Amino acid sequence: MKAITGTNLKLGILGGGQLGRMLIQEAASLDVHIHVLDPSADAPCAALATTFRQGDFRDYQTVLDFGADKDVLTIEIEDVNTQALKELQAKGVTVCPDPAHIETIKDKSLQKQFYADHGIATSSFKLIEDGRSLSEADLPCVLKLRTGGYDGRGVSVMRTKEDLDEAFEGGCVVEDLVDIEKELAVIIARNASGESAAFPVTELVFDPKANLVDYLFAPADVSPSAASAAKNLATKVADALNFTGILAVELFLTTSGEVLVNEVAPRTHNSGHHTIEANVASQFEQHLRAILDLPLGSTEVLRPAAMVNLVGAEGFKGPVVYEGLNTLLAMPGVYPHIYGKAETKPYRKMGHVTVLAEDLATLKTKVEEVKAAIRVVSV
Ligand code: ADP
């Protein structure tokens, strides 16, 4: 591998959103130059990348052209042209994560089958050719489209006969409905030498009304045995894949105390944003270290943290205004991250806020203060 600094090494990212932007922010500290491909001219990375190319990362020729002069390529979204990435890999470009892993992960049926083949604890499931063939005998269950779903879209909890009318058309995974006590996530980094380092477990707190993640906090409020089961499972998945880069592992802690893998993402993840302020190395720094095959950093916790997503408020669409940002900036231990998206729309991820405190009770109070202080609206 070439020396990583300055113009020696060209690192390309497919996708120019907030994950890429935070990677660039970390990369600047090591003088790693980053080149970005994204379809949108005003993507969050556009103003920060060493070079920015406007183009579709799902298009074969565009990805092939973009990658031709790069030493290392990575992604910040799974929906990329893996065929082009495989060809670039064959030509000697280092592609992390491996395009074969992206393919396994972005098809929920291949992903579940991978867990079954490797003895990785996950909910029981079956694969069906068409969601509409689901019958009453399958209820209750969770129906998931094999491909194309994200952020809960393409996932449907089926309890009653009436729910069957809403079944998706096309190939699906049918999962047993898990009795969930808590939803957890483990962000793990693994480099090409096989060294891995997991961050302490994150806990996701849901808004029961909106059924959306309200906020996250870490370390999770779970027993030491549940925390180590979660870490062990994440390590098992990363090792079984022989993965390189950051792998985000979403898990369920069941009401009977079992820990199951729900799904993984082959990239940096929302549930690891707090690591920027709360841990010695952040998930973005770890990703760089992992894909450049450098020694991994420490995942040690400096302070307990929570993370609140700043999403566009309902009823506002247009040029964005962060109402109350000055109030946030006056709060101690509160760190706003604004992604630089020009336009807001309802529920669009526009930024996040990390909150640090000495204990969980104080964190929860501060999270409520943060949520009350800021609103993402439009002019
Ligand atoms: P996405 O890829 O859209 O994030 P997920 O597979 O994470 O979809 O599912 C979204 C949510 O649906 C999960 O966070 C969880 O609350 C619920 N869910 C998913 N699978 C199951 C399951 N087998 N049992 C119970 N709830 C589930």
Side-chain angles (χ1 to χ4, degrees), residues 186 188 190 196 198 230-241 249:
V186 173
I188 183 164
R190 193 171 182 281
S196 71
K231 267 195 182 186
N232 290 343
L233 267 180
T235 310
K236 198 167 171 182
V237 179
D239 286 344
L241 284 167
V249 183

Side-chain angles (χ1 to χ4, degrees), residues 294-317:
L294 302 169
L296 298 177
S298 163
T299 56
E300 190 188 329
V301 176
L302 299 171
R303 301 270 295 277
M307 196 279 303
V308 181
N309 282 316
L310 292 181
V311 299
E314 255 180 279
F316 294 91
K317 195 169 183 300

Side-chain angles (χ1 to χ4, degrees), residues 76-373:
E76 58 126 56
I77 184 166
E78 292 90 312
D79 192 13
V80 295
N81 193 298
T82 48
Q83 198 49 46
L85 287 177
K86 283 180 170 172
E87 286 195 25
L88 289 163
Q89 200 177 33
K91 288 181 179 157
V93 178
T94 302
V95 183
C96 296
D98 192 311
H101 296 160
I102 304 173
E103 286 175 353
T104 303
I105 290 168
K106 78 178 175 183
D107 182 329
K108 285 181 193 271
S109 66
L110 298 179
Q111 197 185 138
K112 284 293 262 189
Q113 196 55 50
F114 183 86
Y115 302 143
D117 293 345
H118 292 82
I120 291 162
T122 191
S123 60
S124 301
F125 68 99
K126 67 174 184 180
L127 307 177
I128 55 175
E129 291 297 319
D130 192 330
R132 291 170 305 175
S133 68
L134 204 66
S135 75
E136 245 181 295
D138 297 307
L139 301 177
C141 66
V142 181
L143 186 67
K144 301 185 178 184
L145 266 179
R146 281 179 62 170
T147 55
Y150 66 98
D151 278 353
R153 271 167 273 190
V155 172
S156 184
V157 177
M158 300 271 163
R159 293 177 197 275
T160 65
K161 210 171 123 206
E162 288 66 46
D163 290 338
L164 292 174
D165 298 337
E166 308 296 316
F168 307 118
E169 186 181 341
C172 284
V173 180
V174 185
E175 296 183 12
D176 280 3
L177 182 65
V178 175
D179 232 337
I180 300 172
E181 171 83 28
K182 289 186 171 191
E183 297 204 26
L184 309 173
V186 173
I187 305 291
I188 183 164
R190 193 171 182 281
N191 65 19
S193 308
E195 183 193 357
S196 71
F199 287 96
V201 186
T202 304
E203 182 168 335
L204 288 66
V205 181
F206 283 81
D207 177 341
K209 281 189 299 254
N211 202 23
L212 288 170
V213 175
D214 188 14
Y215 65 95
L216 315 169
F217 67 89
D221 186 18
V222 295
S223 68
S225 67
S228 76
K231 267 195 182 186
N232 290 343
L233 267 180
T235 310
K236 198 167 171 182
V237 179
D239 286 344
L241 284 167
N242 194 17
F243 193 81
T244 306
I246 284 278
L247 186 72
V249 183
E250 297 178 24
L251 306 125
F252 299 139
L253 173 63
T254 70
T255 48
S256 60
E258 241 186 316
V259 181
L260 305 175
V261 174
N262 173 30
E263 61 167 3
V264 302
R267 53 169 171 77
T268 55
H269 195 258
N270 196 247
S271 56
H273 289 351
H274 60 281
T275 59
I276 296 173
E277 288 88 8
N279 298 69
V280 174
S282 74
Q283 63 165 341
F284 300 100
E285 181 183 340
Q286 286 290 59
H287 185 62
L288 277 180
R289 287 169 176 261
I291 66 177
L292 300 176
D293 203 18
L294 302 169
L296 298 177
S298 163
T299 56
E300 190 188 329
V301 176
L302 299 171
R303 301 270 295 277
M307 196 279 303
V308 181
N309 282 316
L310 292 181
V311 299
E314 255 180 279
F316 294 91
K317 195 169 183 300
V320 63
V321 176
Y322 298 90
E323 208 176 73
L325 185 57
N326 287 6
T327 313
L328 274 195
L329 288 166
M331 294 179 175
V334 170
Y335 301 84
H337 293 253
I338 304 298
Y339 298 155
K341 298 179 186 178
E343 305 262 322
T344 183
K345 59 183 179 197
Y347 301 107
R348 187 174 191 200
K349 282 185 185 144
M350 301 299 288
H352 75 262
V353 182
T354 302
V355 179
L356 301 183
E358 289 311 321
D359 56 73
L360 188 52
T362 318
L363 270 180
K364 289 186 174 178
T365 308
K366 283 175 94 171
V367 161
E368 294 312 318
E369 286 168 6
V370 164
K371 287 197 294 183

